[in-house]
Amino acid sequence: MLSTKHLLGIKDLTREDLELIFQTADQFKEVINRPIKKVPSLRDITIANVFFENSTRTKLSFELAEKRLSADVINFSSSGSSVKKGETLLDTVNNILSMKVDMIVMRHSSPGAPHFLAKHIDATILNAGDGTHEHPTQAILDSYSIREKLGEVEGKKVVIVGDILHSRVALSNIFALQKLGAEVMVCGPHTLIPKYIKDLGVIVEHDLKKALQWCDVANMLRIQMERQLVKNFPSVREYSQNFGLNKEILESLDKEIVVMHPGPINRGVEITSDVADAENAIILDQVENGVATRMAALYLLAGKS
């Protein structure tokens, strides 16, 4: 059993929780590679995917994880809903809950929205991303992917490169990696590194080459143009020249590093195609592990351990 009823953020989890999710995901990874990829673990559970923001990979990954566990699934998208008619978040969710839903997987543009809901409703809430705050299941699958590739997370050096300021993935990854005993560095332009970040115990670097020489793993983040209210750098071309990862930079290092990306990739901006498709890139492994780790999280939150 996890130490928490909801999965609102990595901050609320213990190291033991993360290890339990990983061990459970190991078993589910074996399941999803069988000819029959389904288990009846959650056949008595109804899960609502409530997405108030656009999503492709996360929504598909959750829906597939739920169906692999034999849960009943309903999908809600705010674009064609009563939210457009002025309905509040709480009313929307209470209407869904009145249909006897057990769990809610929720993405919202406002930081803290899942936490607000968790205080007002009885169902279990799983945060699929809240604004620029946290994205816990992405951090879980990223840490799981590092563990799978390198044997363990403890003692590893991980650099997160890119738009740290607007990234919920960066914050959740910092929390998860530190709980698991990794060293964390962030790298990017001064304008995309938040002032508080040093308070979290991470190293700050503004030279990509130095950061890559230091690390075992580089997690490349995209620039979140949709969240930027002001221009944080002169041009995408200049950003790419200074902080884009290409084959030339990788080959200039005196060691091989693991390359990750949470997606969606902007090829030619933060990462070139020859790097994204290289052998030491585990980007598609992350996608596969996303299904297994989300199966594990859903299974454990449903109290099935």
Side-chain angles (χ1 to χ4, degrees):
M1 289 283 284
L2 296 177
S3 64
T4 174
K5 180 189 173 183
H6 308 284
L7 179 48
L8 302 176
I10 298 294
K11 223 174 181 178
D12 306 321
L13 298 181
T14 63
R15 179 171 179 156
E16 290 68 36
D17 288 331
L18 291 169
E19 298 285 5
L20 179 58
I21 292 170
F22 291 169
Q23 288 158 18
T24 312
D26 287 339
Q27 295 166 356
F28 284 132
K29 185 140 189 207
E30 187 260 315
V31 168
I32 61 176
N33 283 295
R34 291 180 195 163
I36 297 170
K37 301 171 172 63
K38 214 165 184 178
V39 285
S41 308
L42 297 189
R43 64 185 170 194
D44 55 338
I45 299 288
T46 302
I47 303 173
N49 296 316
V50 182
F51 278 65
F52 291 89
E53 256 191 337
N54 293 337
S55 171
T56 304
R57 272 165 322 285
T58 303
K59 195 172 182 181
L60 283 174
S61 184
F62 267 114
E63 193 174 341
L64 195 54
E66 291 151 8
K67 287 178 175 176
R68 293 276 186 259
L69 292 165
S70 304
D72 290 323
V73 180
I74 56 172
N75 289 306
F76 168 92
S77 172
S78 64
S79 56
S81 75
S82 294
V83 171
K84 294 288 180 193
K85 301 171 188 174
E87 188 172 64
T88 66
L89 169 63
L90 201 52
D91 283 340
T92 298
V93 173
N94 275 326
N95 273 289
I96 294 168
L97 290 179
S98 66
M99 300 172 201
K100 307 303 176 207
V101 169
D102 303 292
M103 294 176 76
I104 289 188
V105 175
M106 178 176 154
R107 170 168 286 191
H108 202 283
S109 57
S110 299
H115 305 71
F116 168 77
L117 268 193
K119 289 176 184 170
H120 290 89
I121 64 172
D122 291 331
T124 298
I125 308 278
L126 203 156
N127 181 7
D130 59 327
T132 55
H133 181 226
E134 277 220 51
H135 190 352
T137 57
Q138 182 68 47
I140 289 167
L141 75 89
D142 286 347
S143 298
Y144 181 83
S145 299
I146 293 170
R147 169 183 173 267
E148 182 180 65
K149 180 76 174 174
L150 300 178
E152 61 179 347
V153 180
E154 187 156 11
K156 298 296 180 278
K157 295 177 175 179
V158 183
V159 64
I160 304 169
V161 182
D163 187 355
I164 311 298
L165 183 64
H166 302 98
S167 176
R168 54 189 169 213
V169 173
L171 195 57
S172 286
N173 258 292
I174 289 166
F175 292 147
L177 291 165
Q178 287 178 336
K179 281 178 196 275
L180 293 164
E183 282 184 74
V184 186
M185 175 187 281
V186 294
C187 177
H190 286 80
T191 51
L192 292 177
I193 305 282
K195 303 249 188 314
Y196 67 80
I197 204 82
K198 282 186 177 173
D199 297 340
L200 298 179
V202 302
I203 307 162
V204 177
E205 178 58 70
H206 299 291
D207 183 319
L208 179 63
K209 182 86 184 283
K210 283 182 186 172
L212 296 174
Q213 195 60 60
W214 172 85
C215 75
D216 301 306
V217 180
N219 198 349
M220 308 301 295
L221 305 181
R222 72 183 177 89
I223 307 159
Q224 306 218 6
M225 293 296 195
E226 71 277 14
R227 297 190 197 281
Q228 293 189 19
L229 302 174
V230 294
K231 208 168 184 185
N232 289 291
F233 46 85
S235 68
V236 170
R237 185 163 172 261
E238 185 167 320
Y239 175 88
S240 185
Q241 283 174 341
N242 288 294
F243 296 98
L245 182 56
N246 57 47
K247 204 167 187 183
E248 193 183 327
I249 296 171
L250 273 187
E251 286 175 350
S252 72
L253 304 176
D254 55 18
K255 59 178 179 177
E256 190 173 279
I257 62 168
V258 177
V259 177
M260 303 176 72
H261 196 303
I265 301 173
N266 289 321
R267 289 175 183 257
V269 180
E270 71 271 7
I271 190 169
T272 56
S273 287
D274 49 8
V275 172
D277 302 328
E279 271 187 34
N280 58 328
I282 58 168
I283 297 165
L284 291 179
D285 296 331
Q286 288 172 262
V287 178
E288 182 184 343
N289 290 337
V291 177
T293 51
R294 287 177 175 120
M295 285 174 77
L298 290 161
Y299 176 81
L300 293 166
L301 286 169
K304 299 289 183 180
S305 61

